[in-house]
Amino acid sequence: MSDLISEPEQEFDPDEPEDTAPAGRSPTTRRRRALLAVAASAGLVACGVVAAAAFVTSPAERAAGAAAPPDTLLTAQATMQVLTRSTVARGQVYPPTRYDVTPVPTSAEITQLYVSALAVKAGDRVDNGQLLAEVSGRPLVVLRGAVPAYRDLRPGSSGPDVAQLQAALADLGHGRGTDDEGDYGPGTAAAVTAYYRGLGRQAPTAGPAARQAVDAARQAVEADQRQIDLLTAQQAAAAPVGPAEGAAVAPPEPLAEARARLAEDTAALAEAQALDGPTVPAGEVVFVPALPAVVTTVNAPVGAPVAGALLSLASGDLVVTGELPPGQAPGIRAGMAVEILSEATGTTVKGRVAEVGTPTTAPPAARVIPIGGAAAAPAAGGTAGASPGPGPQVSAYVPLRIEPAEPLPAAFDGQNVRITVVRSATAEPVLSVPVAAVFTDASGRTAVTRIDSLGRRITVPVTTGVNADGQVAVTPVQSAQLQANDPVVVGR
């Protein structure tokens, strides 16, 4: 029962010393407390020693920290590839020729030119025989031909301009008939009439003067005929009855003269009538050597007066002029291969350098040929097209005339493209390494360092060849020592 009976609690006596052991505590308890205190003190000392050791380094550790890091190798693989030495520049694409078309009056009755209608807009492609516009009620058309329209073509005209008119109409299905090439006769007149009819118009004629000439010639013929009739009647009335057999009766002299005059006037009437046939006024046709062409600008709206060039046409296959910095020009010569890259479309066209020009600051642009009246600045509200015009002065460059191997796509027009001139290239893939991999050893040999499968460095003597774009062709002295895909040291 004694285990179930606890000791009576002692009352707290403030006068009793605090270190007095409670009654009933044994000496073993006091020794246990002392041991715990000693262990705690030892732990604190050990922690302090460890913390201090973290900030203390030995001389060996300090030396290791100051030493250079171990060597690391930069390597690259030997490869088989075609090495090409090239020069890259920019180039401008544009049509070779731009025609600025300025309408002119087609008759003295027109005192002011106005745009009656427009059949095209900037960017349109036009072909032989196509209507471009109406100016003061008259059509303006384009035909294929190298000779500019410098005169009205009418029956009786002849020359190269008539021949190109006949050829252009023949392409449209209107032949010249029996007319000789270059002679405007009835067959050509019929072709002109048919062409204008296809435009929904009546072909113009030679004008009032030609009509007056026809009327005058017809009146002369009629007068001649009346005179002959009168003289014939008078001769019949004066002739004797029953002339002697075998006697010749010669017509009186006035009748013979009248008949000769009638023949002359009849020929004059035929000539006047021929000259009064259908006419092609110079102000209604634009001859362009190469078609189709592209409308690059339209400078006036319908209803506006014509002041200067009404529209511009760009003709011919697109050309490209490279703009080579003078420092890159040495070594570039005609005949070198070229790649033309349109970065906008991702299309590449091959070509060659056709000509290396002299340094200039004039920007590349089409040759401008005015047609019709004097060229003038575009009217307000003009529509810009794709073909570039002369711009501000640029830094000096060497122009390269590039000849494409095939016509450039229409999408190239107006683009600034990348030109890569191939200076030289290996005929076939060669073993090559980065230029940085090649060195000269102590004996003066050119070599590279190959890393084998065990990580060992092996010096491989080589001979070098073409270098391009940071790569150099190498030929090992012993071909088995270096092959494609072998790693070579390029730096440390």
Side-chain angles (χ1 to χ4, degrees):
M1 294 294 292
S2 61
D3 292 338
L4 300 177
I5 298 174
S6 61
E7 293 183 359
E9 294 182 355
Q10 290 187 340
E11 294 182 1
F12 176 74
D13 184 358
D15 294 331
E16 185 179 359
E18 294 181 1
D19 58 353
T20 302
R25 296 282 176 89
S26 67
T28 300
T29 300
R30 288 193 296 268
R31 285 196 300 271
R32 186 177 299 155
R33 285 186 174 181
L35 288 174
L36 290 174
V38 171
S41 299
L44 290 174
V45 172
C47 290
V49 171
V50 171
F55 297 96
V56 177
T57 58
S58 68
E61 290 174 332
R62 287 196 299 271
D71 288 345
T72 57
L73 296 179
L74 298 178
T75 62
Q77 286 187 331
T79 58
M80 294 293 295
Q81 61 178 312
V82 173
L83 293 183
T84 302
R85 294 181 61 198
S86 60
T87 297
V88 178
R90 305 303 301 177
Q92 186 66 44
V93 180
Y94 53 91
T97 307
R98 191 186 79 211
Y99 297 91
D100 290 344
V101 180
T102 303
V104 296
T106 57
S107 73
E109 299 174 353
I110 299 177
T111 59
Q112 175 64 56
L113 294 176
Y114 287 91
V115 181
S116 305
L118 288 171
V120 296
K121 63 182 181 301
D124 285 352
R125 296 176 68 85
V126 296
D127 212 337
N128 183 46
Q130 189 165 338
L131 179 69
L132 301 176
E134 288 184 3
V135 179
S136 295
R138 294 304 305 168
L140 180 63
V141 301
V142 60
L143 294 176
R144 183 179 291 105
V147 181
Y150 63 91
R151 60 171 178 166
D152 296 346
L153 299 180
R154 56 171 58 92
S157 299
S158 63
D161 50 349
V162 175
Q164 72 179 11
L165 171 66
Q166 293 170 331
L169 294 178
D171 288 344
L172 298 171
H174 311 301
R176 66 175 188 265
T178 59
D179 292 352
D180 291 336
E181 182 179 0
D183 290 338
Y184 195 134
T188 305
V192 170
T193 300
Y195 171 64
Y196 270 90
R197 187 182 302 114
L199 295 176
R201 300 180 176 277
Q202 185 175 359
T205 57
R211 289 193 294 273
Q212 291 174 4
V214 170
D215 292 341
R218 182 178 293 110
Q219 291 173 3
V221 168
E222 293 173 353
D224 292 340
Q225 187 60 54
R226 287 194 300 269
Q227 181 66 21
I228 290 174
D229 292 343
L230 176 61
L231 292 175
T232 301
Q234 292 176 348
Q235 182 182 11
V241 179
E245 186 176 350
V249 179
E253 186 174 339
L255 181 58
E257 293 176 353
R259 287 174 176 170
R261 189 165 51 250
L262 174 62
E264 293 176 359
D265 289 343
T266 300
L269 174 60
E271 183 178 354
Q273 288 174 331
L275 295 177
D276 192 34
T279 300
V280 180
E284 294 188 6
V285 61
V286 176
F287 282 111
V288 176
L291 291 173
V294 176
V295 179
T296 59
T297 57
V298 176
N299 297 317
V302 173
V306 175
L310 171 60
L311 53 86
S312 295
L313 301 175
S315 175
D317 290 336
L318 295 174
V319 298
V320 56
T321 296
E323 301 174 69
L324 191 66
Q328 296 181 349
I332 302 295
R333 61 183 182 275
M336 287 184 169
V338 173
E339 286 187 352
I340 307 165
L341 171 64
S342 166
E343 291 146 319
T345 64
T347 305
T348 299
V349 176
K350 295 186 180 298
R352 69 180 189 90
V353 177
E355 182 183 3
V356 181
T358 57
T360 180
T361 57
R367 181 170 61 106
V368 178
I369 297 178
I371 295 178
T383 306
S387 180
Q393 294 291 304
V394 298
S395 301
Y397 68 95
V398 176
L400 298 181
R401 185 167 64 86
I402 307 299
E403 184 178 277
E406 59 186 88
L408 294 178
F412 277 41
D413 190 8
Q415 289 189 21
N416 186 275
V417 295
R418 190 175 77 182
I419 304 296
T420 303
V421 181
V422 180
R423 291 174 174 263
S424 62
T426 57
E428 56 187 17
V430 295
L431 183 64
S432 62
V433 298
V435 173
V438 180
F439 66 94
T440 303
D441 64 11
S443 64
R445 296 181 306 173
T446 301
V448 299
T449 300
R450 176 173 63 88
I451 305 298
D452 69 6
S453 59
L454 299 178
R456 295 175 299 186
R457 306 180 192 182
I458 300 173
T459 299
V460 180
V462 296
T463 57
T464 58
V466 176
N467 68 84
D469 299 328
Q471 295 283 319
V472 59
V474 294
T475 302
V477 174
Q478 297 177 1
S479 59
Q481 290 185 327
L482 185 63
Q483 298 176 349
N485 299 323
D486 284 347
V488 294
V489 177
V490 296
R492 291 179 171 82

